[in-house]
Amino acid sequence: ELTWEPVEADDLAAYRITRTDQDNQTVTLAELAPDVTTYFDRSVTQGSSYRYSVVAIDQSLNVSEAARTGSVSVDRELLPVTFLVNVPEYTTGTLHMGGDFGAADLPHWDPAGIVLEQVSEDQWAVTIEFPEGASMLYKFTRGNWETVEKGRDCEEIDNRRLTVSLDNLGERSDDGTFVVEHTVAKWRDLDNCP
């Protein structure tokens, strides 16, 4: 995120934002209206460093001296995601998540891999930190694939999907996490589903 002080000039036409990468390649990112003094660069690469500059352009196309940043490193923010799962009232055992979470330190498609904690009679939850941009597929089980969740008519359901980004997680809850709520309709074993 770049922010700058507005230029006080009646003939201000635009601000131009440029970025220089580690290989000294410079690109123009945007030309912004005179009332805009913030720019978000979402086209960066994790682990890379960049330098930015902002110039003001007047209506005669005169360009001001550049305001420059030092080197800026890109590190993805870890976002705490709380999976809140509503289950049928007759649910027994412990709730688990199995999936492909895109993180080396999380189990890969292990139906008992992530254990959730019971927070009320019919709700379970777990909070996991993911780097922004992580994508995952997952399902809920009660410890193995014979106890996997099913749809309302006992049908197989598609893997649940989530991409962890500030754009699609909504507002943070009071405890600072992003809550993703799910409902399990039926269980393979308890509902005699095929």
Side-chain angles (χ1 to χ4, degrees), residues 4 15 23 26 56-57 59-60 62 64 66 70 72 86 89 91 105 107 113 115 124 132 152 189-190 192:
W4 57 92
Y15 295 105
D23 298 325
T26 300
I57 304 169
Q59 293 173 358
S60 298
N62 296 310
S64 73
V72 178
N86 302 296
E89 61 184 25
T91 300
D105 58 340
V115 181
W124 294 72
E132 186 174 4
R152 292 195 184 284
D189 61 328
L190 296 179
N192 295 315

Side-chain angles (χ1 to χ4, degrees), residues 82-158:
T82 297
F83 295 88
L84 182 64
V85 185
N86 302 296
V87 298
E89 61 184 25
Y90 54 84
T91 300
T92 60
T94 303
L95 201 63
H96 300 262
M97 283 176 71
D100 178 1
F101 301 99
D105 58 340
L106 293 174
H108 183 75
W109 286 114
D110 178 351
I114 296 174
V115 181
L116 284 76
E117 178 181 331
Q118 191 167 10
V119 295
S120 72
E121 188 173 319
D122 58 355
Q123 280 191 328
W124 294 72
V126 65
T127 300
I128 305 170
E129 287 189 333
F130 293 100
E132 186 174 4
S135 289
M136 62 201 70
L137 302 171
Y138 54 96
K139 285 190 176 183
F140 299 105
T141 75
R142 294 186 349 279
N144 57 59
W145 294 121
E146 287 72 38
T147 62
V148 71
E149 63 178 315
K150 290 289 206 162
R152 292 195 184 284
D153 298 320
C154 278
E155 74 275 12
E156 200 64 44
I157 62 170
D158 290 337

Side-chain angles (χ1 to χ4, degrees), residues 8-85:
E8 300 295 332
D10 293 336
D11 65 342
L12 178 64
Y15 295 105
R16 180 180 297 141
I17 314 299
T18 59
R19 179 184 71 200
T20 304
D21 66 18
Q22 298 169 144
D23 298 325
N24 276 335
Q25 300 295 315
T26 300
V27 296
T28 298
L29 297 174
E31 288 204 4
L32 305 171
D35 60 338
V36 177
T37 58
T38 302
Y39 179 77
F40 292 92
D41 185 3
R42 299 191 189 276
S43 63
V44 294
T45 303
Q46 171 74 9
S48 296
S49 296
Y50 302 95
R51 294 183 318 276
Y52 294 88
S53 68
V54 179
V55 296
I57 304 169
D58 69 16
Q59 293 173 358
S60 298
L61 301 181
N62 296 310
V63 177
S64 73
E65 186 175 325
R68 300 181 192 282
T69 69
S71 182
V72 178
S73 296
V74 178
D75 295 313
R76 284 198 272 180
E77 180 180 2
L78 288 177
L79 301 177
V81 178
T82 297
F83 295 88
L84 182 64
V85 185

